[in-house]
Every structure is written in C-alpha cells, then in structure tokens.
C-alpha cells in the first residue's frame, strides 16, 4: 500500500458496524446528524448518578442545576403470587417484585452474567444479529431496521462510540430469546405463566413474540409509551434503569408527546423526557430498578425508561384474564375484527368463560 493509499484510508475511515446500521435505519440522514451538535452543551458533562433510591441529573456546569428522581414504589416478594398462575391478584399499580430470578442461570453471577460482554462472548461463534432501537427522532420515526452482532454492540458501548451519540442506540430483539442458549437461561414466573393472548400468537394480530432482550448503553432508553392491551414485566440482570410510570387517566400534557401532524419532531428520547418533564403529578411512580428486580407494569400505564448504566434485561408482555372485561370492549370499538378474532380463540380455551360474559 502506498503512502497515498494510507492517507486516503485515514481521511475516509471504514464505517463501523453501528454506522452501517444507522444508514440502514435512516438512509436519508448523514452520520454526523446522530452526534452531539457542536453548539450543544456536552451531554457527557451531565452526570447521572445511581444509588439505591434515587437518580440525580447534574447539569450545574451547563447552568441547569440538579434534578433528583426518588424511587417511590413498593418492593413485594414475588413469592406472594407463586400460586396465582393467572395473575388475578397482581397489583393494579406498578410494583417491583423481588426474589424471582434467584434460580435463573442468566442471573447466576449478578453484574457479569448476561452483560453486554458476556452475551457477546456467548454468541461470538455464531452469525446471530440483533435488532436496534432508539436514536434521534428521525431514526425512531423510520420503519427501517438496523442489525448488528452482540459483539459489535459491545464494542459500541466500550469504545466510546456511543458516548458521541446524542441519543444512543440499544438492542431490542425478540429472536435471540428463542435461541438455544437463551431459552434455557430464564423461566417465566408463575404469576405470569398464563397469557390470555397466547391463543393468537403468530397471527396477524400478534405477529411478534412476547419476550424481548434489551441491552442498552448508558443514556439510551425507551420513550414514553403505553401497552393498552397487555401488562408487562421487565427483569433486570445487569445495570440500573430509571422508570417513570403515569396512570392511564393522566393529563396528556404530562406525557410531553409530540403528536401534532404539523410537527416534524417525534416523541422525546428517554433522556430528554427526564430532563424536560418538570413537576410530575402525584400519581407518578418512580422506580430505580436494580439487578434482580422485576418491574411489573399493569395495562394502560404510560412509562418511559432510561438506562442509567449499561444494562441488560428481559421484557415480556402478556394479557391477564382479569383485564379482558375492560380491554375487549375497548378493542371492539377501535378494531372489531381483532376483538372478534381474539374472542373466538378465547372461547376455545375454556379458562376464560367467566371473563367473556356479555361480550
């Protein structure tokens, strides 16, 4: 290779795997549009500190002062619901369940097992690629998808590449949960073992599987959203997550949604949401989730989740039979074909008869 060739390579570095994924997600955007703007206060100067009960956003150098989010959600032993396979007795508000991961191989060495590094090593001999989510508004408004190997995502986390992104990407993938190594590493807690939506799995109304792997570098996260038909549980294996949960009847202004047709911006990233949320209503539930804890989220609750540290988690959604008398009539109003199809499938099961009366 000549000196000129070396110079050309230096002037035009080979795009990283994440760069290629970014171009797949948002083909019309330049790679520099994903990065911090030169006019922005460096986000690395905003320190996010996690402890057992609070997360502090420190922007004193940027003139923004400090903002503290205190955990206000009860911890309940998961064993309290061990004989309730249908989840009938689960709380009606977001709750943190403890003790449910103690026999999981995925949690055998907390802080190490299923970390980004561990997952990368386990899948290094395969060609497994996982899907990405997150990024700036133009990326989250895209229907395209970027995929990388878990080792490529590990490198994104550890090399400093993610720290240059204004809104980092995170792994959000269902396929790996059905792989040989993953399926033997976790189990469904008894109180979440019966899914009233399982009868429509794989159909046009529920084409995606209910279990997902989430691996997210610090500052990445899931924007505000809700699950109107299902409850969800999120088991944290590594890291720390900050949650804000708001009830279904919350004033829409508290959600900070950008839903107007004349606005180009998509919903705020999780990081910006926490920066801009202002005074929260009394009904807001704040959770600082630690490894080994399972966050249980009832249907209809809005939630936004930020990775305070690089984190790995398993998230699963399901429908509880107790919610069918409320969920199905609402679904009938918005999507009659979906509701009718689901009801017909449920009628064949036998376990849901008492919850389908008058439908």
């Amino acid at each position: 290779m000549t000196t000129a060739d070396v110079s050309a390579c230096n002037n035009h570095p080979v795009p990283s795997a994440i760069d290629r994924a970014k171009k797949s997600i948002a083909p019309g955007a330049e790679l520099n549009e994903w990065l911090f703007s030169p006019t922005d206060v460096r986000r690395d100067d905003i320190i996010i500190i996690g402890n057992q009960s609070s997360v502090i956003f420190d922007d004193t150098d940027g003139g923004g002062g400090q903002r503290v989010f205190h955990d206000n959600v009860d911890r309940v032993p998961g064993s309290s619901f061990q004989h309730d396979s249908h989840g009938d007795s689960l709380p009606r508000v977001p709750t943190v369940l403890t003790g449910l991961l103690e026999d999981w191989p995925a949690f055998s060495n907390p802080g190490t097992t299923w970390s980004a590094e561990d997952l990368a090593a386990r899948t290094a001999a395969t060609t497994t690629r996982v899907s990405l989510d997150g990024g700036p508004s133009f990326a989250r408004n895209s229907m395209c998808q970027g995929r990388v190997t878990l080792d490529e995502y590990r490198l994104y986390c550890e090399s400093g590449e993610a720290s240059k992104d204004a809104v980092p990407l995170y792994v959000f993938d269902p396929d790996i949960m059905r792989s040989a190594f993953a399926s033997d590493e976790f189990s469904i807690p008894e109180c979440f073992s019966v899914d009233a939506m399982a009868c429509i799995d794989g159909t046009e109304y529920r084409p995606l599987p209910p279990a997902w792997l989430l691996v997210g570098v610090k500052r990445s996260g899931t924007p505000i959203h809700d699950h109107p038909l299902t409850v969800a549980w999120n088991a944290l294996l590594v890291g720390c997550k900050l949650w804000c949960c708001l009830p279904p009847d919350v004033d829409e202004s508290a959600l900070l949604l950008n839903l107007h047709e004349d606005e180009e911006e998509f919903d705020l990233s999780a990081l910006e949401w926490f920066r801009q949320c202002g005074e929260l209503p009394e009904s807001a539930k704040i959770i600082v989730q630690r490894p080994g804890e399972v966050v249980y989220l009832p249907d209809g609750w809005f939630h936004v989740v930020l990775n305070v540290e690089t984190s790995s988690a398993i998230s699963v959604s399901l429908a509880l039979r107790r919610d069918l008398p409320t969920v199905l009539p609402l679904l009938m109003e918005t999507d009659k074909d979906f509701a009718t199809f689901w009801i017909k499938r449920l009628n064949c099961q036998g376990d849901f008869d008492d919850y389908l009366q008058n439908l």
Side-chain angles (χ1 to χ4, degrees), residues 320-340:
L320 299 181
R321 68 178 184 180
R322 73 174 190 192
D323 296 330
L324 294 175
T326 302
V327 167
L328 287 171
L330 293 175
L331 183 60
M332 189 68 75
E333 295 178 4
T334 59
D335 193 334
K336 185 176 181 180
D337 290 343
F338 181 2
T340 301

Side-chain angles (χ1 to χ4, degrees), residues 288-311:
V288 180
Q289 186 185 16
R290 286 294 181 175
E293 295 184 331
V294 173
V295 170
Y296 160 69
L297 193 75
D299 65 299
W301 276 74
F302 294 92
H303 52 293
V304 55
V305 190
L306 178 70
N307 291 309
V308 177
E309 300 170 352
T310 299
S311 304

Side-chain angles (χ1 to χ4, degrees), residues 150-164:
L150 282 165
D151 191 55
E152 289 166 343
Y153 188 78
R154 174 200 62 79
L155 185 62
Y156 173 67
C157 297
E158 296 178 0
S159 67
E161 186 178 0
S163 66
K164 299 175 184 178

Side-chain angles (χ1 to χ4, degrees), residues 129-141:
R129 303 179 78 81
V130 291
S131 55
L132 299 173
D133 205 344
S137 58
F138 61 76
R140 289 181 282 113
N141 208 11

Side-chain angles (χ1 to χ4, degrees), residues 225-248:
H225 67 288
D226 70 332
H227 306 156
L229 303 180
T230 60
V231 304
W233 57 275
N234 180 295
L236 186 62
L237 302 168
V238 177
C240 179
K241 290 179 180 285
L242 173 64
W243 296 64
C244 179
C245 308
L246 298 164

Side-chain angles (χ1 to χ4, degrees), residues 113-319:
T113 316
W114 277 52
S115 64
E117 182 178 6
D118 182 51
L119 290 170
R122 288 171 181 241
T123 57
T126 73
T127 58
T128 300
R129 303 179 78 81
V130 291
S131 55
L132 299 173
D133 205 344
S137 58
F138 61 76
R140 289 181 282 113
N141 208 11
S142 169
M143 295 303 291
C144 301
Q145 186 179 76
R147 301 180 71 87
V148 296
T149 67
L150 282 165
D151 191 55
E152 289 166 343
Y153 188 78
R154 174 200 62 79
L155 185 62
Y156 173 67
C157 297
E158 296 178 0
S159 67
E161 186 178 0
S163 66
K164 299 175 184 178
D165 281 348
V167 183
L169 291 163
Y170 61 94
V171 172
F172 186 53
D173 187 85
D175 296 333
I176 197 169
M177 299 306 297
R178 294 175 289 186
S179 66
F181 94 85
S183 59
D184 294 333
E185 295 260 322
F186 76 102
S187 57
I188 305 295
E190 179 69 16
C191 55
F192 302 124
S193 61
V194 179
D195 180 5
M197 226 178 219
C199 58
I200 60 172
D201 280 354
T203 69
E204 62 178 302
Y205 298 110
R206 201 189 199 189
L208 297 175
W212 296 71
L213 170 68
L214 292 91
V215 183
V217 69
K218 179 178 177 178
R219 298 189 301 110
S220 65
T222 309
I224 191 82
H225 67 288
D226 70 332
H227 306 156
L229 303 180
T230 60
V231 304
W233 57 275
N234 180 295
L236 186 62
L237 302 168
V238 177
C240 179
K241 290 179 180 285
L242 173 64
W243 296 64
C244 179
C245 308
L246 298 164
D249 60 353
V250 68
D251 188 307
E252 187 175 294
S253 63
L255 303 177
L256 300 185
L257 296 175
N258 292 316
L259 297 179
H260 299 296
E261 294 182 0
D262 59 344
E263 291 185 359
E264 294 184 2
E265 290 297 314
F266 203 56
D267 297 341
L268 294 174
S269 69
L271 183 61
E272 287 302 327
W273 194 95
F274 278 106
R275 286 199 183 106
Q276 298 183 31
C277 63
E279 184 175 354
L280 293 169
E282 291 185 6
S283 58
K285 301 296 183 182
I286 301 297
I287 300 170
V288 180
Q289 186 185 16
R290 286 294 181 175
E293 295 184 331
V294 173
V295 170
Y296 160 69
L297 193 75
D299 65 299
W301 276 74
F302 294 92
H303 52 293
V304 55
V305 190
L306 178 70
N307 291 309
V308 177
E309 300 170 352
T310 299
S311 304
S312 299
I314 293 173
S315 180
V316 182
S317 62
L318 69 151

